[in-house]
Amino acid sequence: MTPDQKSDIESMRAEAMTRQGEVEAQEDEMYSAAAPKGKFSGKAANALVDASNKLLPLFGVTDLYDKFTEPNMTTLPPAFVRMLTMFGTAFDDAIEAGVLPEDAKIDMTVVTDDAGLQGLAGRIGMAAKSSQFKRFLSRKVKERGAEEMGKEGEYSESEPASDMMSEDSTNTLFAGRM
């Protein structure tokens, strides 16, 4: 490889890293805008973290989300909202398949206080304990593994990032980062 080729490769790598950073910044802005806003105590937010951490392994995520240290909050961080959005997409699929009841739907637009966080934690905790939901996710993970061999999968990490990512693509990207 010539020095010019090495320089071109490094230049392309730097450009790709810059674009990836821009996409990540746009995603953070999008999730910040979609984050529930209100008055939340650290205790209620951490109840949601605890419930979420019980569900994460079902998505193949081994790194658990850290508890919040702030005693009071007015919004949730973009990374946490990403995770909740990923759960919401899976819940929607499970509701459509008849695996979860309709009232399991995750609607972050109605979460404005501790009661909303606790209700969300309850729905997530209920799904984490559901053997039907576990089997449903297990099938999805197996399908994803088969589809990653050459096709786009529902929770696939191989989908390309673009300036205007779909919600599913964003959820997939988040799942890959976790």
Side-chain angles (χ1 to χ4, degrees), residues 60-73:
V61 178
T62 56
D63 294 334
L64 300 181
Y65 198 87
D66 292 330
K67 289 196 174 204
F68 296 110
T69 57
E70 301 88 8
N72 294 301
M73 303 163 53

